[in-house]
Amino acid sequence: MFLNNTSNPEDKLDSLPVTVLKGVGPRVAERLKRLNIQTVQDVLFHLPLRYEDRTRVVPMGSVRAGEHVVVQGEIELAEIKFGRRRSLLVRISDGTGSLTLRFFHFNKQQQTGLQRGHGIRCFGEVRAGPVTLEMVHPEYQLVEPDAVLAAADHLTPIYPATEGVHQLTLRALTEQALHYLDRGGLVDWLPPALVSDFKMTSLPAALRYVHRPPPDASLELFASGHHPAQQRLAFEELLAHHLSLKRLRERVLHTSAPVLQDDALLVNRFIGQLPFALTGAQQRVIDEIIHDLLQPHPMARLVQGDVGSGKTVVAACAALTAVAAGYQVALMAPTELLAEQHFRSFSEWLAPLDISIAWHAGKTRGTARASALSAIADGTAQVAIGTHALFQQEVEFARLGLVIIDEQHRFGVHQRLALRDKGRDDALRPHQLVMTATPIPRTLAMTVYADLDTSIIDELPPGRQPVKTVAISQARREDVMASVRKACSAGQQAYWVCTLIEESEVLQCQAAENTATLLAETLPELTVGLIHGRLKPADKERLMAAFKAGSIDLLVATTVIEVGVDVPNATLMIIENPERLGLAQLHQLRGRVGRGRAHSSCVLLYQSPLSANARDRLAALRETGDGFEIARRDLELRGPGEVLGTRQTGEMQFHIADLLRDEALLSDVEQAAGRLNQLAPGNVSPLIRRWLGETALLGEV
Ligand code: ADP
Ligand code: MG
């Protein structure tokens, strides 16, 4: 172990309860738990979210909405307004301009203090009010009108807070914790060799700096997160995440899985009967998977492939390998529509090979449900396809050998772990293959998916045409309808996708219904179909079959068709109000066209005016069809949390690191992880615990 100024083991801050700090009794301690603060070390690693510059007073005439500033002036008017909500309005000015302070909660004492003629200094966020610029509930202090006050002497840290634990408390606690830090007792889990090789600031210095930046610290540098103190901590945090996922991976490798030995006859027969040749990339990824399946340890492999790169065929080859070896396969998709689509493709492909497939989704009821469950339980079903319902308690597999999850980014690490447990009974864990159509930049994948090996299908089937993408304003809706008419009269098919912000599925479906009715009226010569999430599975199936067979020209849909739907003759897609969707989702939607050999187009029928961000998103989509490039831009525009999906964010909350900003650190992080494992393997667990908490260590298989 590499201790840092350690004197007495009792002083170790990771075992010193937070209750040693002044002001922390049982009640506060209970509240601090909500912030994951239990020890003095936890207080030190509860890092500021941002900083406020209270080091200088700003003239009111120069403040703008959105800024956090200190202003000082004289009260000109104080009055109580009885509007929708009773509020106390206080008008202040400093000769350069004026501002209104607005209080919804105030007591008698405050009211008497805030009198015309009194001097006041306040700090808060400036907002555009109904008449003037305002500050709502600023922090304030009454002062002599012309007082010259010492401003704060460092940037003020703003901490993540919780009910009953406010900024002032957190500032007082960190102040005390910093005294403990100065006295030693915080272990640096990075060996000195690592710290010096990566030229890092010392840990105590970095912590002190971010909690109490000195007066000369630049707010801009701090806001950008590139200060060496911040970078040192971000590095350590990323390292802790990386190590915890790597460790997860290692644990999995220490469990056993069935060796899926197979003479490849079935897979070769299947490939031979396909109407196309596999791309080189598909072949390579299939080989990687088959190699994994031959190991006595569970595969944990992520296949990334852009929309339309042909992941389903790859999944089928993996499934056939398991089936030929005498094991069952579970294939799970995030939506029923996508699962149905897989069920159809697999039924078509595998029927000639005499393989029996069961369907199981949440909505399956009655005898269909019972017979699916019994076929899965007694092993007559060799492949089970469905939604996450497949992984509920009542589903028991006879011999589960392989789990395939499509559209992985919607499932988090812990869900992946739960799936592995399905094969737990006989001590053999199933192999796991996850497929995602949202390409994740390599560096990001390295951190977020470090528990998985990755394969990339980096080649599209030959003959694919790029989808021509245009953005057209709703004002030109008529023109767009005319182009739908033209394409469909020429024998092609089109999608019309309705997006809505309403949360309610009912409202979404209603809106899609209205659009479908309108389109049918305007384009009477076309057969218009409507598909949405509230249709019965059988009806959806019928509609999709009709669309695939070409008996529907124009399919009006909600975003349920986002993933997986495959109709090569559809060459035109209209997306209404694309400004409401994220870039990745738009890319997914657009991927429904451009699947055949004909030229395809996508019309982004937007509602003006567009926000700057929406304009950037639509521009990115027009400019490129490359999923990786789109993922990169998406990351820039929305940040990693959004890109990886909300479920993932829940698990990937960082104190200080930012996957996008700190991308440059990631390759060093990977190296450092290897070195730490060599130099001081015993330091890995405490480092993970420090940054991710106890649960990160418990959640391991
Ligand atoms: P995704 O990767 O988006 O899941 P799919 O598996 O749905 O893509 O494949 C898209 C379409 O491409 C399907 O119609 C599929 O049959 C076809 N396809 C897959 N591989 C090839 C290939 N090597 N050559 C030609 N078409 C292919
Ligand atoms: Mg797919």
Side-chain angles (χ1 to χ4, degrees), residues 66 88 130 217 249 277 334 397 462 466 515:
L88 172 63
R249 178 80 188 100
F397 287 83
T515 307

Side-chain angles (χ1 to χ4, degrees), residues 311-312 342 406-407 564:
K311 292 184 291 295
T312 322
H342 283 324
D406 198 4
E407 300 306 330

Side-chain angles (χ1 to χ4, degrees), residues 307-308 310-312 338 342 406-407 435 437 563-565 592 595:
V307 181
K311 292 184 291 295
T312 322
L338 180 55
H342 283 324
D406 198 4
E407 300 306 330
M435 304 194 293
V563 282
V565 172
R592 301 310 105 210
R595 303 196 142 228

Side-chain angles (χ1 to χ4, degrees), residues 274-280 282 305-314 338 341-342 345 349 406-407 435-437 457 460-462 464 548 564-568 588 591-592 595 597:
L274 287 173
F276 46 75
L278 295 180
T279 62
Q282 282 171 316
D306 204 351
V307 181
S309 62
K311 292 184 291 295
T312 322
V313 173
V314 171
L338 180 55
Q341 166 109 8
H342 283 324
S345 312
W349 288 336
D406 198 4
E407 300 306 330
M435 304 194 293
T436 177
I457 308 181
L460 291 180
R464 288 279 162 80
K548 196 152 190 167
V565 172
D566 183 35
V567 179
Q588 287 285 313
R592 301 310 105 210
R595 303 196 142 228
R597 289 183 172 266

Side-chain angles (χ1 to χ4, degrees), residues 440-593:
I440 299 147
R442 202 188 83 80
T443 43
L444 198 55
M446 221 158 70
T447 312
V448 183
Y449 294 117
D451 61 327
L452 300 172
D453 298 319
T454 25
S455 294
I456 300 180
I457 308 181
D458 50 4
E459 185 185 350
L460 291 180
R464 288 279 162 80
Q465 308 281 347
V467 179
K468 183 170 172 241
T469 303
V470 292
I472 295 180
S473 147
Q474 283 278 7
R476 289 176 50 207
R477 206 181 164 87
E478 304 285 317
D479 299 350
V480 173
M481 288 197 275
S483 49
V484 171
R485 171 181 284 135
K486 199 168 143 219
C488 292
S489 327
Q492 299 179 340
Q493 291 168 282
Y495 295 99
W496 190 292
V497 183
C498 303
T499 62
L500 266 178
I501 12 180
E502 278 86 355
E503 285 298 305
S504 145
E505 214 188 345
V506 182
L507 287 178
Q508 293 208 12
C509 299
Q510 258 171 25
E513 255 162 46
N514 296 344
T515 307
T517 313
L518 267 170
L519 285 168
E521 278 167 13
T522 321
L523 304 165
E525 68 276 34
L526 302 185
T527 314
V528 178
L530 168 66
I531 191 163
H532 56 63
R534 284 168 59 83
L535 292 181
K536 289 207 185 71
D539 292 337
K540 268 190 270 179
E541 177 124 359
R542 222 182 356 264
L543 267 160
M544 283 318 298
F547 189 56
K548 196 152 190 167
S551 47
I552 290 175
D553 301 305
L554 175 61
L555 187 64
V556 178
T558 55
T559 48
V560 295
I561 62 153
E562 178 193 340
V563 282
V565 172
D566 183 35
V567 179
N569 191 49
T571 55
L572 177 59
M573 170 170 286
I574 318 299
I575 306 177
E576 269 203 76
N577 302 109
E579 68 276 4
R580 291 169 179 166
L581 301 182
L583 200 41
Q585 201 181 1
L586 287 166
H587 179 63
Q588 287 285 313
L589 274 171
R590 179 174 61 177
R592 301 310 105 210
V593 294

Side-chain angles (χ1 to χ4, degrees), residues 58-303:
V58 176
M60 291 182 206
S62 72
V63 302
R64 279 181 307 230
E67 291 176 342
H68 288 85
V69 291
V70 181
V71 292
Q72 182 171 329
E74 196 178 304
I75 298 177
E76 290 192 327
L77 181 73
E79 55 176 354
I80 294 183
K81 276 265 191 249
F82 296 89
R84 211 157 39 89
R85 260 178 102 184
R86 194 175 80 113
S87 54
L88 172 63
L89 298 184
V90 180
R91 195 167 169 77
I92 61 171
S93 80
D94 66 356
T96 69
S98 62
L99 278 177
T100 303
L101 314 181
R102 188 182 286 272
F103 298 87
F104 295 110
H105 311 283
F106 50 92
N107 55 32
K108 195 85 204 135
Q109 191 195 348
Q110 279 176 303
Q111 202 184 326
T112 27
L114 293 166
Q115 288 290 336
R116 183 184 158 85
H118 285 184
I120 189 169
R121 158 187 275 221
C122 17
F123 178 83
E125 181 182 356
V126 180
R127 301 196 203 166
V131 190
T132 57
L133 288 177
E134 298 189 343
M135 276 187 188
V136 178
H137 283 270
E139 286 179 34
Y140 72 88
Q141 138 187 42
L142 295 173
V143 296
E144 289 302 313
D146 298 315
V148 181
L149 291 180
D153 63 358
H154 55 72
L155 292 174
T156 307
I158 306 297
Y159 293 98
T162 182
E163 215 180 307
V165 185
H166 299 295
Q167 291 306 324
L168 285 176
T169 314
L170 288 164
R171 256 174 258 158
L173 294 183
T174 43
E175 197 60 43
Q176 296 179 62
L178 286 167
H179 285 305
Y180 276 94
L181 176 70
D182 291 345
R183 277 187 262 148
L186 183 74
V187 183
D188 189 343
W189 301 113
L190 301 190
L194 259 181
V195 175
S196 70
D197 282 3
F198 291 105
K199 298 194 180 52
M200 287 187 275
T201 314
S202 88
L203 182 62
L207 282 170
R208 168 157 285 287
Y209 206 99
V210 300
H211 282 290
R212 296 294 180 269
D216 61 349
S218 137
L219 190 59
E220 277 96 294
L221 183 60
F222 250 72
S224 79
H226 286 111
H227 189 280
Q230 291 166 303
Q231 290 284 293
R232 152 76 202 235
L233 296 170
F235 185 93
E236 224 185 279
E237 180 168 36
L238 290 168
L239 181 62
H241 274 269
H242 183 84
L243 285 165
S244 99
L245 288 172
K246 276 284 183 225
R247 176 177 278 211
L248 215 56
R249 178 80 188 100
E250 253 143 50
R251 296 277 161 104
V252 170
L253 285 175
H254 280 99
T255 59
S256 303
V259 173
L260 301 180
Q261 185 79 51
D262 156 44
D263 50 18
L265 278 181
L266 204 55
V267 173
N268 289 338
R269 257 174 74 198
F270 165 67
I271 294 174
Q273 85 182 14
L274 287 173
F276 46 75
L278 295 180
T279 62
Q282 282 171 316
Q283 189 60 62
R284 172 173 48 77
V285 172
I286 291 168
D287 290 345
E288 285 166 0
I289 293 169
I290 289 180
H291 174 265
D292 283 358
L293 296 178
L294 283 170
Q295 311 306 313
H297 307 293
M299 166 172 79
R301 185 167 286 280
L302 173 70
V303 170

